[in-house]
Amino acid sequence: MSQIQAHEPRTAPLSEEQIRQYQEYGYLVLPQGCSADLIHAYNAHIHSIRSADPIPEWAFPRKRGQEFVSEEERFSVRLFNPHKHDGFSVQMLKLPVVRGALAQLMGDEAVGIQSMYFYKEPGSPGQAAHQDYYYIRNEPDTMIAAWIAMERVDEENGCLWVIPGSHKLGLLPHGAVKNVQEHEPWTKETENIDLSKELPVRLNKGDILFFHSLLIHSSTRNRSLDRWRRSYVCHYIRHDSVIEREDLKVKYRLD
């Protein structure tokens, strides 16, 4: 197994109890893993990118190949892989507390492979129950998501829901989304699961949710009248894992 030589000391933010919780349930919350000041600065930075005229090509909010964008879509269509183009975004991908937590959970250094900034404005739908591994195959499977809450997240504005322990079930079949009133229709949905076992994950601004690639999770429609549910979500694998998807093969070191 190849090794990555760390240039700087690595933090170890997780307790043994938190690591056991992750292993048992497939997820854990690191309270206030990111400071409010940093969250505010990054939200403002992303807003400035999407407010630009013209919007940079890499940040253009296209939907299914469209060439034009409405004013509303500037702040509703997710920003995909900003870390590949933007210095602030790559530093958010490399947060020392995230690097340290991932190393504790993986037992070795992690590398970043994907980032997404979600807006989820009031009224917008969620994503049906699924497993991230279905979309991002990696071998051996070591992938973990770090989901940073960019503001308070709860049932009203469309928080994540998880089925604790479902990461132990392996990869399950995925099919067409059934409830298109609640969920985006273009995604896939894990089939033959008991959604009554889902639990909401409520997060405060700056909390970081770590979860396993096989954990079944979903989100609901944002039912608030004036609350957004912005988040910065990054995916990581152990440095020696291999990604199948060509668009995610570049590995970003976290040191």
Side-chain angles (χ1 to χ4, degrees):
M1 180 182 297
S2 61
Q3 297 292 322
I4 286 183
Q5 296 298 318
H7 298 297
E8 298 180 5
R10 187 174 62 213
T11 61
L14 303 181
S15 67
E16 290 298 323
E17 178 58 31
Q18 287 174 309
I19 295 172
R20 283 194 295 270
Q21 175 189 327
Y22 177 84
Q23 293 169 343
E24 177 66 20
Y25 300 116
Y27 72 100
L28 70 88
V29 175
L30 183 61
Q32 300 299 287
C34 192
S35 73
D37 285 346
L38 183 56
I39 294 289
H40 177 76
Y42 188 58
N43 278 335
H45 175 71
I46 295 298
H47 187 272
S48 69
I49 291 173
R50 278 284 174 86
S51 298
D53 192 11
I55 299 173
E57 175 66 21
W58 63 268
F60 196 83
R62 289 186 177 85
K63 280 187 175 180
R64 291 175 289 280
Q66 71 183 33
E67 293 300 323
F68 301 97
V69 59
S70 67
E71 284 302 306
E72 293 78 14
E73 287 171 330
R74 284 178 179 264
F75 309 109
S76 62
V77 179
R78 68 176 178 175
L79 189 56
F80 190 65
N81 280 335
H83 74 282
K84 292 186 175 183
H85 311 274
D86 176 59
F88 199 161
S89 296
V90 78
Q91 292 308 312
M92 291 291 288
L93 176 95
K94 296 181 176 184
L95 288 178
V97 68
V98 171
R99 177 195 174 202
L102 291 171
Q104 287 181 280
L105 296 175
M106 294 182 184
D108 204 342
E109 285 285 346
V111 290
I113 56 167
Q114 179 175 263
S115 65
M116 295 175 287
Y117 184 94
F118 288 95
Y119 289 94
K120 195 157 188 179
E121 74 279 13
S124 60
Q127 185 170 354
H130 65 283
Q131 297 168 300
D132 285 349
Y133 183 76
Y134 177 80
Y135 296 100
I136 308 177
R137 307 294 175 93
N138 66 109
E139 300 301 334
D141 179 24
T142 59
M143 190 170 68
I144 296 175
W147 201 102
I148 304 176
M150 308 305 280
E151 51 215 322
R152 169 69 184 172
V153 176
D154 52 36
E155 293 95 327
E156 182 187 52
N157 66 343
C159 68
L160 291 191
W161 292 70
V162 302
I163 299 181
S166 57
H167 65 301
K168 299 177 181 180
L169 299 176
L171 180 63
L172 301 177
H174 286 58
V177 172
K178 299 177 182 64
N179 186 354
V180 296
Q181 299 301 314
E182 186 74 19
H183 302 123
E184 292 278 8
W186 52 268
T187 59
K188 296 293 185 179
E189 181 175 6
T190 307
E191 298 181 325
N192 303 318
I193 56 170
D194 183 1
L195 292 179
S196 69
K197 295 181 179 179
E198 281 191 312
L199 299 177
V201 182
R202 306 176 188 97
L203 301 173
N204 290 312
K205 183 178 181 178
D207 289 354
I208 304 177
L209 168 67
F210 294 92
F211 60 91
H212 194 282
S213 68
L214 290 171
L215 182 77
I216 298 173
H217 62 288
S218 65
S219 61
T220 53
R221 181 176 292 278
N222 184 341
R223 289 181 166 79
S224 70
L225 298 177
D226 57 2
R227 297 176 58 207
W228 291 62
R229 194 224 65 181
R230 292 168 295 181
S231 59
Y232 187 53
V233 186
C234 298
H235 286 92
Y236 305 83
I237 58 174
R238 201 174 63 202
H239 67 89
D240 58 332
S241 290
V242 177
I243 288 285
E244 291 185 9
R245 280 174 50 175
E246 289 297 326
D247 63 322
L248 300 180
K249 282 190 176 295
V250 177
K251 298 178 178 180
Y252 288 76
R253 291 171 56 129
L254 305 185
D255 58 359

